[in-house]
Structure formats: C-alpha cells, structure tokens
C-alpha cells in the first residue's frame, strides 16, 4: 500500500497488517496528542489543590473548599463516558483520524478558556459554575481522545508487537504530568510563591497560575498539525470495505459486547484508583491540606512536593515501555494479574508507609516512586487489552466506554473518598480502599481470556 490516504469505500484491497503512513508518524501522532491532552488534564488537577479552593469558592472552611474543588475535578470524569459515546460514534462511523482532531480541539479550547476565567471575588458564584462547565468540556475531549489514540496505535501495529505499539499513547500520561507539574514548579519558584503564607493578591494567584492554561494553545496547534497529516487505519478501512460499519455503535456494543464492557471497566478500575490517590490526593495530604484522624498534619511545602512528584513520574514513564514489552512476551492477562496483586499489597502498606507521625520527605519520595512505578506497569498494557476485547465496528465506542466509566468509579471519586477516609479513620483506610479496587480488578482479569494472539481485523 502506498502512503496515500486509505480510501473509505471502493473495491481496492486493504492490508490490515501494513499502516498507510510511516510508523514513526503514527508513534508521534499517538504520543504527542495524548501528551497534550494529559497535560491539559493535569494542570487542572494541580490547580484543583493549589489554586482553585482559594480563588473560585467562597471563603470559610478550607476542607469544604478543597472538597468543592475536588468535585469540579471529578466532574470531568462524569463527562468522559459521554465523550466516549459521542466521539466513539463518529470514530466507528466516520473514522479514527477526524475524530481524534475533534477531541483535541474540544479539550484545547476548554483548557485555554479556563486560563481566562474571572474568579469568585470578581463574579461570585458564576466563577465556579463556569469552571465546572469548562471542566466538563475537558472531560468530553479526553473521553474521545484515549480510545482513538489507542486504536491508531494498535490497528497499525506489527504482528506480535501490538502491546509495544500501544504503549506509545500511554507515555502521553507521564509526559503530560511531568510538564504540567514542572511548569507549576518553575512558576512557583520564579515568583517566590508559598501557598501556605502567600496573600490572595500574590502575583501567582492573580495571573501566574493562568500561564499553563493559556500556553496549552501552542501545544494544541502542534498536535493538530501532526494529526492532520494522518490517514485512516488499515483495520478500520478494511471494515469499511467489507461493509461492517454499524448505524448505532452504542446500541450495537451494548447488544453484542456487554460482557467485555463490564470486564474492561473493572480491568481499568485499580489503575485509575492508584493514580489519582498517588497524585491528586497525596498532594493534598502531603502538603497539609488534610489532617489525619490521629490529629497529625503533614507539612511538606508545595514546591518540595512537586519536586518529589517530578522525580517519581520518571519511574512511571520508564515502566510504561517495560510493561508493553512484558505484555507482548508473556501476555496481557498474566502480566496484569501480577501487577494488580502488587497494587493490592501496596495499598495494605499505606498505614506503615504514610504514618503521619513518621513520614519524611525521603519516605514520601519512596512512596511516590513505588506508586508511580506500579502505575506505569499497569497502565502500559491497557491500550492493548481494552481494544482487543471489541470488534472493529464498535472498538472505538466499546474501549472508550470501558476506559472512561472506570474513570468515574476509580478516579472521579478517589480524591474525595480518600480525603474523607483519612480525616475520619486514618491513612491506612485509604490503602484499604485501593486494595479493594485491586481485588475487583483481579476478578475482572480472571474472567477474560488472553487477547495477545487476537487478530484485530477478524475479531
């Protein structure tokens, strides 16, 4: 096949084993796009702890403001399944390329607009309302992004190397996280901002926090340029050639693939719960936003904590390709069963690792490194195993719904539940919560067959 665009209709044969564009371009398009999307998503997560409780919610109880900020943070996860249905419909009906462009634009415009929002002191309750609306739009965009990037990678992969190909979009998560927190750290250092003592008229709270949101527009333009150079995936083009497109992908996936939907959702559960406990919740706990049930509060500075996170995310990034290689060599199911078992054990160690009377910066760094390494190992194979559970004509919709419904069950509520648990029962119970999520994922993995040898064009 030439490097010309794959036709959507006609009688020309399509070779699903051979991509229509150079593989290097596919790697860049899948990784760059998700890096941008996750950067946009994570700058909100950082600001949800650092900025929004102070600027976008009424003065009063600090914990109530933090929980309100976490509620808007979680709103995006409610929007993500809706985005997966919306973009999945077009991804399975029109094609992967056009849908990926649409999801990137939705996310990018919403993120840029957050950087322009007036605060509560300026427009009152309209400020948190607009913040919630734009956060919802962020969720819509990311809901359509992940499954499209995963399909772009898996549907063009070489035989026997699908998990390795699929790990490239997964690298967008640690890359986006690193740059999101890195920019905030540089701003705080450059503007001499101390979150615990700075006045509300400090330059960082006045305008500095807006820079990452506004600067995301540059990254979106780059991402659009790369994605507009793509052609359709051969597997989807083959399905079009054979007349396998369906009119209503959502109805079809619910009718024919409801078991993989349920299994895929719970396969992702522990991954989401782990990540948002180790990142968003741990940031609030480690920097003293939440007091443990024992009455002890940690006091790591924001600057120091962001530095610890930046170190730990390197282990996340390093373990993603390792997990892709392992999943191709030994199979997705067995690798994920072992890693999820390790996540359960990790959760049961929270009471020891995060004991508020003995945690030091070094101990916190070790906790973050261990959590992020486990995250890389469990996250890497997800963009292979979830698409492999579904047939081509509903793969965008099915994998997207499973991935994003899991985001509600495992991510949207995780910081909120963890904040409540540590305040009322102690930090060990946060780990029990993670362990329970891990057990549910183990049961889901046990219920499915190995998918390593599945032919995506024949599913």
């Amino acid at each position: 096949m030439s490097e010309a665009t794959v036709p959507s209709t006609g009688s020309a044969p399509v070779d699903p084993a051979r991509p229509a564009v150079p593989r290097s371009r596919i790697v860049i398009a899948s990784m760059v796009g998700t890096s941008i999307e996750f950067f946009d998503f994570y700058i909100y997560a950082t600001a949800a702890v650092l900025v929004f409780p102070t600027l976008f919610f009424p003065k009063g109880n600090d914990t109530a403001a933090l929980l309100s900020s976490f509620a808007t943070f979680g709103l995006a996860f409610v929007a993500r399944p809706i985005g997966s249905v919306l973009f999945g419909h077009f991804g399975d009906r029109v094609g992967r390329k056009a849908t990926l462009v649409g999801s990137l634009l939705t996310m990018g415009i919403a993120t840029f607009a957050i950087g322009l929002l007036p605060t509560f002191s300026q427009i009152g309750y309209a400020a948190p309302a607009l913040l919630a609306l734009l956060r919802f739009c962020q969720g819509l965009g990311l809901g359509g992004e992940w499954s499209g990037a995963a399909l772009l990678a898996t549907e063009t992969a070489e035989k026997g190397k699908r998990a390795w190909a699929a790990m490239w979009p997964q690298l967008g998560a640690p890359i986006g996280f690193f740059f999101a927190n890195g920019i905030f750290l540089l701003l705080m250092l450059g503007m001499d901002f101390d979150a615990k003592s700075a006045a509300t008229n400090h330059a960082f709270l006045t305008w500095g926090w807006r820079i990452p949101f506004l600067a995301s527009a540059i990254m979106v333009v780059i991402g659009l340029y790369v994605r507009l150079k793509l052609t359709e995936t051969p597997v989807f083009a083959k399905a079009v050639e054979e007349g396998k497109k369906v009119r209503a992908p959502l109805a079809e996936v619910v009718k024919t693939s409801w078991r993989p939907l349920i299994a895929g959702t719970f396969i992702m559960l522990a991954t989401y719960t782990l990540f948002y406990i180790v990142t968003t919740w741990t940031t609030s706990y480690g920097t003293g936003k939440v007091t443990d049930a024992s009455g002890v509060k940690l006091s790591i500075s924001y600057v120091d904590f962001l530095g610890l996170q930046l170190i730990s995310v390197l282990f996340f990034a390093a373990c993603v390709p390792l997990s892709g290689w392992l999943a191709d060599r030994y199979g997705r199911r067995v690798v994920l069963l072992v890693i999820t078992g390790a996540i359960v054990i990790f959760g049961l160690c929270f009471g020891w690792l995060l004991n508020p009377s003995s945690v030091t910066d070094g101990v916190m760094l070790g906790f973050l490194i261990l959590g992020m390494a486990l995250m890389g190992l469990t996250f890497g194979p997800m963009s292979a195993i979830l698409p492999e559970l579904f047939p081509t004509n509903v793969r965008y919709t099915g994998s997207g719904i499973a991935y994003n419904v899991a985001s509600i069950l495992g991510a949207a509520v995780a910081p909120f539940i963890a904040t409540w648990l540590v305040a009322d029962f102690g930090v060990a119970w946060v780990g029990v919560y993670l362990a329970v999520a891990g057990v549910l994922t183990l049961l889901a993995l046990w219920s499915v067959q190995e998918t390593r040898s599945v032919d995506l064009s024949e599913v």
Side-chain angles (χ1 to χ4, degrees):
M1 182 183 298
S2 69
E3 295 185 6
T5 302
V6 177
S8 59
T9 59
S11 59
V14 177
D15 179 7
R18 187 178 176 186
V21 296
R23 195 165 302 278
S24 59
R25 188 184 300 172
I26 293 170
V27 167
I28 294 171
S30 61
M31 184 171 63
V32 168
T34 52
S35 297
I36 294 168
E37 299 269 10
F38 281 109
F39 171 83
D40 289 357
F41 209 70
Y42 293 151
I43 56 175
Y44 190 103
T46 301
V49 175
L50 191 63
V51 176
F52 295 154
T54 301
L55 298 183
F56 284 88
F57 297 95
K59 303 295 183 184
N61 187 296
D62 289 343
T63 300
L66 179 63
L67 290 174
S68 297
S69 182
F70 278 160
T72 63
F73 172 76
L75 185 61
F77 294 98
V78 177
R80 283 171 67 164
I82 300 173
S84 67
V85 172
L86 174 65
F87 288 104
H89 176 85
F90 292 105
D92 285 326
R93 288 285 300 159
V94 178
R96 312 328 192 190
K97 172 186 172 179
T99 308
L100 279 169
V101 171
S103 66
L104 183 62
L105 280 173
T106 302
M107 185 76 164
I109 292 171
T111 303
F112 183 80
I114 289 174
L116 300 175
L117 280 181
T119 63
F120 185 86
S121 65
Q122 295 170 313
I123 61 171
Y125 286 97
L130 289 172
L131 182 66
L133 175 63
L134 293 174
R135 180 61 173 170
F136 186 86
C137 291
Q138 275 193 318
L140 284 178
L142 191 56
E145 163 62 28
W146 177 84
S147 50
L151 267 56
L152 175 64
T154 57
E155 291 184 345
T156 57
E158 297 177 23
K159 185 177 181 180
K161 297 182 178 180
R162 196 158 57 221
W164 178 260
M167 70 86 188
W168 290 107
Q170 303 300 81
L171 272 178
I175 291 172
F177 185 89
F178 182 85
F179 282 103
N181 278 9
I183 288 177
F184 268 112
L185 177 60
L186 291 175
L187 286 170
M188 293 170 68
L189 289 172
M191 303 179 78
D192 193 25
F193 175 72
D194 184 347
K196 295 181 180 180
S197 61
T200 55
N201 63 350
H202 190 283
F204 178 83
L205 291 176
T206 303
W207 56 269
W209 69 270
R210 301 178 184 274
I211 292 174
F213 291 90
L214 299 177
S216 68
I218 300 172
M219 301 175 68
V220 170
V221 171
I222 296 171
L224 284 174
Y225 173 79
V226 174
R227 288 195 166 175
L228 287 171
K229 295 287 186 179
L230 293 175
T231 57
E232 196 50 78
T233 70
V235 171
F236 179 79
K238 183 172 185 287
V240 173
E241 291 287 336
E242 296 176 353
K244 292 181 179 179
K245 286 198 305 182
V246 293
R247 286 185 174 273
L250 175 61
E252 182 72 14
V253 76
V254 171
K255 178 182 177 182
T256 64
S257 303
W258 60 270
R259 287 185 180 89
L261 272 178
I262 295 172
T265 297
F266 284 94
I267 284 172
M268 269 299 302
L269 180 66
T271 302
Y272 266 127
T273 306
L274 170 67
F275 185 72
Y276 284 93
I277 284 179
V278 171
T279 55
T280 304
W281 171 77
T282 305
T283 299
S284 64
Y285 177 70
T287 56
K289 285 280 189 177
V290 180
T291 302
D292 187 83
S294 63
V296 179
K297 179 186 293 188
L298 300 186
S299 58
I300 302 173
S301 72
Y302 277 106
V303 170
D304 289 344
F305 197 89
L306 287 177
L308 298 180
Q309 282 194 323
L310 288 176
I311 295 172
S312 66
V313 80
L314 297 177
F315 290 82
F316 180 5
C319 287
V320 169
L322 174 61
S323 67
W325 178 81
L326 290 170
D328 275 333
R329 183 174 177 83
Y330 300 106
R332 291 77 161 113
R333 187 170 176 265
V334 66
V335 168
L336 288 171
L337 281 170
V338 172
I339 298 305
T340 305
I343 291 172
V344 172
I345 296 171
F346 176 62
L348 297 178
C349 294
F350 270 37
W352 171 62
L353 292 171
L354 294 180
N355 187 325
S357 63
S358 60
V359 172
T360 63
D361 286 13
V363 172
M364 180 60 74
L365 177 60
F367 170 83
L368 292 173
I369 287 175
L370 183 56
M372 286 294 201
L374 288 171
M375 179 62 194
L377 291 171
T378 185
F379 190 58
M382 288 300 168
S383 55
I385 190 172
L386 293 186
E388 289 167 351
L389 294 173
F390 299 93
T392 301
N393 57 0
V394 295
R395 185 170 294 133
Y396 203 125
T397 302
S399 61
I401 290 176
Y403 182 86
N404 289 298
V405 169
S407 75
I408 295 179
L409 302 178
V413 298
F416 194 95
I417 291 176
T419 299
W420 165 66
L421 285 172
V422 72
D424 286 7
F425 302 102
V427 72
W429 282 95
V430 179
V432 172
Y433 167 50
L434 174 60
V436 170
V439 170
L440 292 174
T441 291
L442 286 172
L443 294 174
L445 287 166
W446 198 261
S447 72
V448 300
Q449 300 294 319
E450 176 57 54
T451 58
R452 174 175 51 171
S453 300
V454 163
D455 184 346
L456 291 186
S457 64
E458 300 298 331
V459 175

